[in-house]
Amino acid sequence: MKTIFAHTVEGRVSPHTCECGSQPEQMLPAELCRSGQPDLPRLSELDVVRHFTKLSRRNFGVDANFYPLGSCTMKYNPKFTEQVAALQGFTELHPLLPQLRGAGLYTQGALQVIYELEELLCAITGMDAYTLQPMAGAHGELTGAMLMAAYHSKKGNDKTQIIVPDSAHGTNPSSAAIAGFDVVTIKSRDGIIDPEALSKVVNDRTAGIMMTCPNTLGLFETHLSEIVEMIHSVDGLLYYDGANLNAILGKMLPGKAGFDVVHLNLHKTFAAPHGSGGPGSGPVGVNSKLEPFLPVSRVVRLEDGQFFLNYDYPDTIGYIAPFYGNFGVMLKAYAYILRLGREGLLRVSENAVLSANYLRKRLESHLHIPHNRICMHEFVASAVKQARKGVRAVDIAKALLDKGHYAPTVYFPLIVQECLMVEPTETESLETLDQFVDDLIDILSRVESDPESVKQAPRFTPVERLDEVLAARSMQLCG
């Protein structure tokens, strides 16, 4: 497809006229003004609209396609949250305004949103306090690991190790290592943490454990109470990776279950778009043991009802993000939570779990499912049988692109061979789920009759089969 510059026709213009009251030369010094016209394409408005409409049709997205990307929660993003985030009163705020002397009075609405969103997240997770500053999930993980380090340092604990199960997100060990801890990996048993394996590595040097619950296999950690007791017995801390929170909204309070630190992904669970580079937001919640170490600044409400940025926290880990985090994402999450309310959030988790189990049951006779029992928001299938025919999980995933679906996550978690991790979310209709299953079954039947046709997919997308490594390293964005 040509770029918009290649469509230019000399002399063609859009009928739109600028109604600007001032010209640049009236506002800027002469040395900052252009000496000539910019080299912009000459096009009509219709040319521009058609170009970008065609361009949008050449991509996959949740607004156009089913997006069953496991462990990434690619749910529909209601448009009213975009309207809230675009309100002029918010978009025209300068992010430094509340830090100027007396100017906080002009940002009371924004500060109130931050304060009240923190309170809502506390109610949803059972934590005592939150920081909304982390800019993404992995940034939240690092912040949480730094809070754990600060806690142990303040107490004089000689803690050097963080335990991470082999079913964890790959960012967990990375975050722990960057925060200065040694990572100790334990193997799962039947898809979940094995208390016996855990007991062999817990000792006085254990700073804590990083867990995802439900985990990346879509399974709930049924030994949770035993794990909490074991970690706390050595003054260790439990970290909750909230990437899979969509499965337990309104059903479980991680803070009440014994977790000391929680990070959430507002961009996965609470409406903001996920994927394609963000923006994200990874708030971190803590219990009272860790609250003194939260990043500054923090929004507090004074006795007269005004909101104020407070920096007076002597044990804080300091600044971890510019300004106060991704405020636009916070606005969408705030509006989403208020609109759905408690009953709506409960239905989110119930429908997400129902959708995942519906797909699991419909596919269990067609794909090997290593842990085939009631799952949470997602499940993991394995294409080991198809691999014996020469068709791997990645081939099946690419064949789904030709059917108009985005591909499931493949080859993660690493503990399942040839895995396909499917997360349908709560917003997909029964018709969409059935179409996905029918198309996947058709692909699997072709594996038996004509495996080479599956290995050549995709054939009907804007570009055909790519070398994944080369495509990622040498991106050709035109042509």
Side-chain angles (χ1 to χ4, degrees), residues 216-472:
T216 56
L217 292 169
L219 303 176
F220 194 85
E221 295 287 352
T222 53
H223 302 296
L224 182 56
S225 58
E226 193 175 346
I227 295 167
V228 170
E229 183 178 352
M230 204 181 305
I231 297 297
H232 281 167
S233 70
V234 295
D235 198 18
L237 299 166
L238 287 99
Y239 182 96
Y240 182 89
D241 180 329
N244 294 343
L245 190 77
N246 208 49
I248 61 162
L249 275 177
K251 300 288 185 181
M252 171 187 170
L253 299 172
K256 302 300 181 188
F259 287 97
D260 302 285
V261 193
V262 170
H263 99 258
L264 307 181
N265 294 67
L266 296 187
H267 54 287
K268 287 185 179 180
T269 312
F270 300 109
H274 170 56
S276 301
S281 181
V284 173
V286 295
N287 58 20
S288 58
K289 290 192 293 188
L290 294 168
E291 184 174 355
F293 309 106
L294 284 175
V296 288
S297 58
R298 296 180 59 189
V299 179
V300 296
R301 182 162 57 189
L302 303 176
E303 289 185 359
D304 63 0
Q306 290 190 38
F307 296 93
F308 172 71
L309 287 177
N310 191 356
Y311 295 82
D312 188 17
Y313 297 95
D315 291 326
T316 177
I317 62 171
Y319 301 90
I320 52 96
F323 309 120
Y324 321 101
N326 276 326
F327 186 64
V329 181
M330 295 178 207
L331 280 170
K332 295 172 190 175
Y334 180 70
Y336 180 84
I337 293 170
L338 292 181
R339 177 65 183 84
L340 266 67
R342 184 178 182 279
E343 293 304 315
L345 295 179
L346 281 168
R347 287 203 300 276
V348 165
S349 59
E350 290 169 352
N351 289 344
V353 172
L354 179 62
S355 295
N357 280 284
Y358 180 74
L359 289 184
R360 179 183 60 83
K361 289 299 291 182
R362 281 213 59 193
L363 289 168
E364 64 182 358
S365 60
H366 302 277
L367 278 169
H368 173 56
I369 300 177
H371 306 287
N372 192 11
R373 57 182 186 267
I374 296 293
C375 64
M376 301 297 287
H377 61 302
E378 64 191 8
F379 70 98
V380 174
S382 170
V384 287
K385 290 190 298 185
Q386 289 72 25
R388 288 195 283 271
K389 293 274 187 180
V391 178
R392 302 189 61 197
V394 66
D395 302 315
I396 296 170
K398 288 183 182 296
L400 280 167
L401 299 179
D402 274 343
K403 297 284 190 179
H405 310 291
Y406 195 75
T409 297
V410 294
Y411 303 117
F412 179 79
L414 302 176
I415 54 179
V416 174
Q417 286 186 309
E418 296 295 331
C419 70
L420 293 150
M421 182 161 52
V422 181
E423 180 178 359
T425 79
E426 74 282 1
T427 46
E428 297 297 341
S429 67
L430 180 61
E431 294 79 12
T432 299
L433 299 181
D434 281 335
Q435 187 63 57
F436 174 73
V437 172
D438 293 343
D439 290 339
L440 183 52
I441 291 173
D442 178 64
I443 293 168
L444 296 174
S445 68
R446 284 199 286 126
V447 173
E448 300 298 323
S449 61
D450 185 13
E452 286 304 312
S453 70
V454 179
K455 294 171 68 175
Q456 292 172 8
R459 300 177 60 191
F460 307 118
T461 48
V463 292
E464 297 183 359
R465 187 94 174 197
L466 294 174
D467 181 314
E468 292 91 349
V469 176
L470 183 62

